[in-house]
Every structure is written in structure tokens, then in C-alpha cells.
């Protein structure tokens, strides 16, 4: 039986009936004019870049570390790369010139991460070089190192990522994403391009200082990428074994699902696990849409209304049934028809506890998709979504390329920013009605902890009664987009979080109990080295001592704190030396 059909038959069992649980109407207000943002995305003519018209890019991140999310947009040939700093009131200031962003080049997309562990967020901008050169120029990528919140310097040459694609006449850089795929505590780099055969889809390993080595061949991905038309990529632990997978979205059925085998190798499951069936994959969002504790994968694509489908199968919602096995529930969940969907983002806009979806839409070169509205799919909490676009008053109709969800004013809810092709960067404030409670979590790195900066590859679970809300730090990559590194939880009517569990990428666990809602937490990982916190409750007390004594003399890996092969006196000494029953 088809897995999607089986799911429909079992829908009540999976979701407890069909009751709608949404907190209220999702509403947005366009505040672009009052925000101080004037950036326009004005790419070169399609003919200049061999028909390519997929230009844009947006990053939402705190670049000066003042606690407020700023916005960065590559200039796409029409202007310089632009940085807006957020003053926390909903107003932005263009600091591009002061930060050294003065060159005009055909930058497209951007990825954000702290590449050298100095505490400041850096930016990778794939580039096709001089916008006046037919087809673009090779060897023009930019890597902006953040100078302690005061400016940027381009270190692409010394970092080894200046020249990626090799075909001078076919430059089509599409994305840059960071992630710690090898769990060595630093951020590696994933780069993608739309033109196959020019070595544009690559993986670079970070040596820990921000110098990168191309390991695509070493990982065995050359053959996999030979025909890939890459649009976005994410590094996410999909099965909870800590070792993150690599999900690579591509056009014309060229997506990949690389399972991390935990030994430095990956296995491509695209032909065997129910994923990668979308025909024209572009953006992606990874989230637990039905609160079953398993991460699901939403991929944006194309679907025509006239004729129905038009030979395209639309957006896919891959629900994870068991580890690495999925069923596409895009159609039954009512999120398949996003039009001509570029980027997407999962965000709990009404804060009812279930993450919603925002999907960009439009293609001015196709009459059916010219002037189409973006899509807001509101999660009903029963396995389905409703199209809330009209009531949300999100009326862009601008061929939006990129979308990011972030808390504009630190008032707890998520606002939206869009990059429009041949249009302005738009800012929409969240004014949703009857919103639920919320929690925001920002993770920090610690030198020598084995955890990547900003807690990348960390999973956080918030339990409220019998609901467990799962979030994962992956930078929210989508088509040409990099989202905030902090996590946002909608909590519905819950007035307290019974347990907040942080599962660090190095295997450490931190547990907080009876956490107040409607606040922002900053959590730092434990220092590196052996730990006596055997039960992961944030304390080292009698419970841990009992666990250790219960496996005395064995090779129990958890209680063998000094890793000498046997639980014994030295382990007891370490535990007692860290004794902290008060947390």
C-alpha cells in the first residue's frame, strides 16, 4: 500500500482526531516604509546570465551581538552588499559603507556562521563576479570575516573558498550553508550552484581557524553531484544519533538525502527512503510539524493550477515515519500548492505550539505565476494546514526569492522579511490575534567544548504536559536564505515549561525544570572534559553516585568518566570532585 494512503487511513490515530487547535488569526502589517530599509534587488537581465533569473538573498542574524537581529542582503549586481543594523524598535540603519561593503558584484545568496570561533558571525556570499560580464566570472566568491562587530574583511582567498565553480561562461551560484557535519566543533561549508558539471556543488571542511579544504571527493560526492542543480542544503541530525545528515535540495529531481553513517562516511538514501521525489526542489524547512518527536522535511517546488499540476508535483512534506523512512504528505496536508515556490520557512506564527509554513511564490516569466501572492500555511495541529494568506494580509505579489522569520522587536513573536526580485526588501510585523506563550533560546559555544559556535547541531526539547516541542539549530537554510541561529518555541496555553532539555552536539545533556514562559534564555555548554553528570539533569549528586556504583567494575561507557575501560576509583574521584547537588 502507498505510504501516503496508509497515513491517511491512520490519520486519527496519529493526531488524535481532527480538532483544530490554532490560537488565533495570523496577521501581518507591512512596516517597510517606516523601518528605514530601502534596499532593492535589481539583478542583471536574464539574457546577461544565460537565462538565469534566480537572483536574491537574505540573512537574518545578530552581527554586532547587541541582542537584536540584523539583516544582510547581497547586492546581486545592482548595488553593493548591504547590512542593516536593528536598533530593537523595528528600525534599521544602513551601515554598509562603514563596515566595508562597498564593491558591486553579482553576489547571490548568503550563509552565516562564526567560522573561527571568535564569537562574531561571518558571512559567505557566492558570487558571479562582474555583473557586466556575459555568463559571469569564476573565482569571485566572498567570505566576510566579522571584525568584532565593527566591519567586515573579505578573506575568501586566504580561506580557500574564493574560486569554487570553474566554468567561466556559466556562473550560477545558488546557496551557501554552514554546519558541523563532522562534529569537530567548527563550522564546515556547503556551496551549491545551478549549473551541473562545473564543480559548483561542494563541501568544505573547516580546520578550526576559518581555513577550508574541499573534501567533496574525499567524501565520495563527486559522482552524486555530477548532475546536481543545487538550490539549498542543510546539516541536520534527522534520527537523533547526534551524527548529522546532509539534505541537499536540487532542481529537476536532483535532490539528495545523505545519511551520516557515523564513521566519516555518508550513504545516499534518495532512491530508497521516500524522499527526493519533488520534481523541482528549491527551498526547504526542517521541523516537527506534528509533534511526534521526529523531524520532518518540507521542500518547496512548483505546481500549476491550469492545467492542474501542469506536469509538476508541487511542494513535498516528507513526514518521518521511522528513522530515515518518509511518506510525502504534501497533498493530504494541503501544503503542496505553493505556486512557483522559491524559499520557505517553518515558524510558529500564532504560537499555538505547531509550526506554520511561509512559502515565497512567483515567476514573472510565466503568466500563471506573475503577480502571485506568497503563501501562509497555518498548521491546524491535526496533520493538516489551511491557506491563511488572505486573512494574514501578507500581500506581496512580488516574486519573493528569500524569506526569513525573526523577532524584530524582541516582543516574543516572529516577524518576516522578504527579498523581492526586481523589488524592495519588505518587512512585515507580526500582529497576530490571540497568540500563545513563547520561549526563545540562544545557545553559545565554549572554547574546547567540542560544540560548534552558537550551538550549531544542537537539539532542544521543551516539554509542556504531554506535548514535546522540538527545535534544532541548523541556521534555517532555504533557497538563498540564512535564518537566525536562535530558537523560537510557540507554547500555546502552557504557563510553564515542565522540562527544557538541551542535547548538545557532543553528547552532553542539560536539563532545566519549571522554566518560565515568555522569556529569552541564553544557554552555554558545559566545559570540555569528563563529567560526572551521568543522568544529564544538570546536577552531580546522589543519583549520579548511585548510577556509578551500580555498574562498578564494568566497562559501562556512560559511567567510565575517565575512559580507561573500567568504572572504578578514578571515576568516583572525578564525580565527587564535581559534586553539585544544587545545580
Amino acid at each position: 500500500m502507498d505510504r501516503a494512503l496508509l497515513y491517511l487511513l491512520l490519520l486519527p490515530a496519529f493526531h488524535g482526531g481532527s480538532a483544530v487547535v490554532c490560537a488565533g488569526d495570523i496577521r501581518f502589517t507591512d512596516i517597510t516604509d517606516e523601518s528605514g530599509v530601502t534596499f532593492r534587488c535589481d539583478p542583471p537581465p536574464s539574457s546577461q546570465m544565460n537565462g538565469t533569473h534566480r537572483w536574491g538573498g537574505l540573512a537574518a542574524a545578530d552581527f554586532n551581538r547587541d541582542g537584536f537581529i540584523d539583516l544582510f542582503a547581497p547586492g546581486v549586481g545592482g548595488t553593493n552588499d548591504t547590512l542593516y543594523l536593528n536598533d530593537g524598535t523595528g528600525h534599521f540603519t544602513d551601515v554598509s559603507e562603514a563596515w566595508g561593503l562597498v564593491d558591486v558584484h553579482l553576489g547571490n545568496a548568503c550563509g552565516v556562521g562564526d567560522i573561527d570561533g571568535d564569537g562574531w558571525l561571518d558571512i559567505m556570499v557566492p558570487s558571479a563576479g562582474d555583473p557586466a560580464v556575459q555568463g559571469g566570472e569564476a573565482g569571485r566568491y566572498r567570505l566576510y570575516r566579522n571584525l568584532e562587530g565593527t566591519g567586515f574583511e573579505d578573506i575568501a582567498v586566504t580561506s580557500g573558498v574564493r574560486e569554487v565553480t570553474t566554468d567561466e561562461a556559466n556562473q550560477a551560484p545558488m546557496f551557501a550553508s554552514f554546519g558541523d557535519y563532522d562534529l569537530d566543533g567548527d563550522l564546515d561549508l556547503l556551496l551549491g550552484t545551478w549549473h551541473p558539471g562545473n564543480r559548483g556543488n561542494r563541501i568544505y571542511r573547516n580546520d578550526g581557524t576559518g581555513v577550508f579544504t574541499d573534501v567533496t571527493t574525499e567524501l565520495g560526492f563527486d559522482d552524486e553531484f555530477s548532475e546536481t542543480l543545487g538550490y539549498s542544503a542543510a546539516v541536520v541530525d534527522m534520527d537523533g544519533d547526534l551524527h548529522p545528515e546532509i539534505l541537499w535540495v536540487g532542481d529537476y529531481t536532483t535532490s539528495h538525502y545523505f545519511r551520516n553513517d557515523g564513521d566519516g562516511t555518508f550513504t545516499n538514501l534518495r532512491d530508497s527512503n521516500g524522499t527526493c521525489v519533488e520534481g523541482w526542489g528549491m527551498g526547504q524547512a526542517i521541523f516537527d510539524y506534528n509533534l511526534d518527536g521526529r523531524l520532518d522535511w518540507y521542500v518547496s517546488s512548483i505546481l500549476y493550477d491550469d492545467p492542474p499540476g501542469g506536469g509538476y508535483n508541487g511542494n513535498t512534506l516528507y513526514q518521518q515515519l521511522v528513522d530515515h523512512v518518509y511518506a510525502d504528505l504534501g497533498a493530504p496536508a494541503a501544503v503542496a500548492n505553493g505556486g512557483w515556490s522559491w524559499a520557505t520557512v517553518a515558524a510558529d506564527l500564532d504560537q499555538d505550539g505547531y509550526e506554520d509554513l511561509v512559502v515565497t511564490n512567483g515567476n514573472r516569466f510565466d503568466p500563471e505565476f506573475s503577480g502571485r501572492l506568497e503563501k501562509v500555511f497555518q498548521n491546524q495541529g491535526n496533520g493538516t494546514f489551511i491557506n491563511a494568506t488572505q486573512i494574514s494580509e501578507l500581500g506581496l505579489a512580488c516574486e519573493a526569492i528569500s524569506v526569513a522569520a525573526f523577532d524584530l522587536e524582541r516582543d516574543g513573536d516572529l516577524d518576516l522579511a522578504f527579498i523581492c526580485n526586481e523589488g524592495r526588501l519588505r518587512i512585515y510585523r507580526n500582529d497576530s490575534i490571540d497568540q500563545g506563550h513563547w520561549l526563545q533560546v540562544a545557545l553559545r559555544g565554549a572554547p574546547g567544548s567540542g560544540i560548534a559556535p552558537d550551538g550549531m547541531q544542537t537539539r532542544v526539547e521543551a516539554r509542556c504536559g504531554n506535548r514535546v516541542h522540538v527545535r534544532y539549530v541548523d541556521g534555517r537554510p532555504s533557497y538563498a536564505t540564512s535564518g537566525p541561529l536562535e530558537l523560537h518555541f510557540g507554547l500555546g496555553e502552557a504557563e510553564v515549561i515542565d522540562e527544557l532539555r538541551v542535547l548538545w552536539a557532543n553528547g552532553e545533556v542539560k536539563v532545566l525544570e519549571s522554566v518560565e514562559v515568555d522569556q529569552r534564555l541564553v544557554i552555554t555548554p558545559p566545559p570540555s572534559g569528563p563529567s560526572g553528570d551521568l543522568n544529564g539533569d544538570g546536577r552531580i549528586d546522589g543519583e549520579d553516585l548511585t548510577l556509578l556504583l551500580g555498574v562498578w567494575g564494568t566497562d559501562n561507557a556512560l559511567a567510565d568518566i575517565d575512559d580507561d575501560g573500567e568504572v572504578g576509583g578514578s571515576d568516583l574521584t572525578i564525580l565527587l570532585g564535581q559534586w553539585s547537588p544544587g545545580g
Side-chain angles (χ1 to χ4, degrees):
M1 180 182 293
D2 180 82
R3 277 180 290 192
L5 177 58
L6 176 61
Y7 177 88
L8 286 176
L9 293 175
L10 297 176
L11 188 64
F14 283 154
H15 297 287
S18 58
V20 175
V21 298
C22 293
D25 291 339
I26 295 174
R27 298 285 177 83
F28 287 97
T29 302
D30 186 347
I31 63 166
T32 306
D33 290 340
E34 61 200 73
S35 70
V37 172
T38 60
F39 177 86
R40 282 187 58 88
C41 176
D42 287 316
S46 175
S47 59
Q48 182 73 19
M49 298 305 296
N50 303 320
T52 301
H53 59 94
R54 312 159 186 86
W55 301 100
L58 179 66
D62 184 4
F63 292 107
N64 62 349
R65 294 294 196 186
D66 65 351
F68 300 107
I69 300 298
D70 312 305
L71 297 175
F72 172 89
V76 296
T79 186
N80 54 284
D81 297 340
T82 302
L83 174 64
Y84 287 100
L85 294 184
N86 182 356
D87 69 3
T89 69
H91 189 272
F92 294 84
T93 301
D94 185 346
V95 297
S96 307
E97 184 175 356
W99 281 55
L101 300 174
V102 295
D103 294 341
V104 175
H105 65 107
L106 218 171
N108 188 50
C110 46
V112 172
D114 178 3
I115 63 169
D116 51 9
D118 65 353
W120 300 94
L121 293 176
D122 313 298
I123 309 176
M124 182 74 204
V125 181
S127 177
D130 188 341
V133 175
Q134 180 68 36
E137 301 176 291
R140 294 294 184 268
Y141 281 37
R142 310 292 179 96
L143 177 55
Y144 295 128
R145 181 173 178 267
N146 191 327
L147 302 176
E148 298 184 352
T150 63
F152 289 118
E153 64 171 339
D154 180 11
I155 60 169
V157 172
T158 57
S159 291
V161 292
R162 179 72 165 184
E163 184 166 3
V164 177
T165 55
T166 56
D167 188 345
E168 287 280 1
N170 288 289
Q171 290 293 302
M174 288 295 128
F175 71 83
S177 299
F178 287 103
D180 186 9
Y181 80 87
D182 54 1
L183 297 179
D184 63 353
D186 54 43
L187 294 179
D188 309 301
L189 176 63
L190 290 68
L191 295 170
T193 185
W194 190 78
H195 284 295
N198 67 348
R199 297 177 63 82
N201 292 284
R202 316 300 295 169
I203 298 178
Y204 287 82
R205 184 172 58 219
N206 191 340
D207 72 355
T209 68
V211 176
F212 295 88
T213 300
D214 185 346
V215 294
T216 314
T217 302
E218 176 183 324
L219 293 174
F221 285 4
D222 278 335
D223 289 342
E224 306 283 5
F225 287 155
S226 62
E227 299 299 325
T228 297
L229 293 85
Y231 266 141
S232 61
V235 179
V236 180
D237 174 18
M238 299 298 289
D239 62 356
D241 68 350
L242 297 181
H243 300 285
E245 279 62 55
I246 298 176
L247 307 187
W248 205 282
V249 174
D251 204 358
Y252 288 89
T253 65
T254 62
S255 294
H256 303 282
Y257 184 108
F258 296 110
R259 183 191 66 205
N260 192 326
D261 297 327
D263 58 0
T265 66
F266 292 82
T267 299
N268 196 348
L269 302 181
R270 56 161 289 151
D271 296 322
S272 61
N273 75 338
T275 65
C276 305
V277 300
E278 78 285 342
W280 287 263
M282 290 183 276
Q284 61 179 310
I286 298 167
F287 67 128
D288 179 13
Y289 89 98
N290 58 352
L291 271 62
D292 66 352
R294 295 183 180 276
L295 292 175
D296 310 301
W297 187 24
Y298 184 68
V299 180
S300 54
S301 185
I302 303 170
L303 191 67
Y304 280 79
D305 290 333
D306 186 21
Y312 296 76
N313 62 350
N315 301 347
T316 52
L317 175 57
Y318 300 119
Q319 179 182 329
Q320 188 169 191
L321 305 178
V322 296
D323 289 352
H324 305 301
V325 176
Y326 298 80
D328 175 17
L329 279 302
V335 292
N337 190 355
W340 193 293
S341 304
W342 296 100
T344 183
V345 65
D348 192 350
L349 301 173
D350 53 9
Q351 299 181 166
D352 65 348
Y354 292 88
E355 289 188 277
D356 312 296
L357 289 166
V358 180
V359 184
T360 65
N361 180 20
N363 180 359
R364 64 187 182 281
F365 297 103
D366 188 310
E368 177 165 339
F369 299 109
S370 179
R372 293 286 290 272
L373 294 175
E374 318 316 310
K375 296 292 182 73
V376 177
F377 294 121
Q378 188 176 24
N379 193 332
Q380 300 293 281
N382 62 357
T384 67
F385 295 72
I386 61 171
N387 188 340
T389 305
Q390 294 290 345
I391 195 170
S392 74
E393 301 183 21
L394 191 69
L396 278 167
C398 73
E399 188 180 328
I401 293 294
S402 303
V403 58
F406 67 107
D407 186 353
L408 173 70
E409 302 162 295
R410 287 286 178 228
D411 60 355
D413 59 19
L414 292 178
D415 312 289
L416 298 174
F418 294 86
I419 290 290
C420 298
N421 204 330
E422 295 189 0
R424 291 180 65 184
L425 192 165
R426 311 295 300 191
I427 308 291
Y428 279 77
R429 186 183 63 219
N430 190 338
D431 292 324
S432 297
I433 300 171
D434 296 328
Q435 296 183 53
H437 293 292
W438 56 274
L439 177 75
Q440 292 177 359
V441 177
L443 303 177
R444 294 289 180 259
S449 67
I451 299 168
D454 296 280
M456 191 74 89
Q457 317 319 145
T458 296
R459 176 182 171 116
V460 181
E461 301 173 351
R463 181 177 63 81
C464 303
N466 60 0
R467 283 188 183 181
V468 178
H469 308 273
V470 176
R471 300 291 186 271
Y472 188 86
V473 187
D474 63 350
R476 297 277 169 163
S478 191
Y479 174 69
T481 307
S482 178
L485 293 170
E486 62 188 37
L487 305 174
H488 174 271
F489 293 82
L491 301 171
E493 297 179 356
E495 296 182 352
V496 67
I497 300 167
D498 298 314
E499 180 181 87
L500 186 71
R501 181 176 291 263
V502 181
L503 296 93
W504 299 101
N506 66 355
E508 297 278 358
V509 178
K510 183 178 183 64
V511 177
L512 303 175
E513 296 179 346
S514 300
V515 177
E516 294 183 5
V517 300
D518 301 336
Q519 66 165 320
R520 180 174 184 263
L521 294 177
V522 178
I523 302 176
T524 302
S528 60
S531 174
D533 184 14
L534 305 187
N535 63 357
D537 66 355
R539 301 183 298 271
I540 301 175
D541 55 18
E543 293 184 11
D544 302 295
L545 177 60
T546 299
L547 288 172
L548 186 144
L549 296 176
V551 291
W552 190 271
T554 73
D555 61 355
N556 182 278
L558 178 64
D560 183 13
I561 304 173
D562 63 358
D563 199 28
D564 68 351
E566 180 177 321
V567 179
S570 62
D571 304 300
L572 176 61
T573 299
I574 293 172
L575 188 150
L576 294 176
Q578 298 175 345
W579 196 261
S580 56

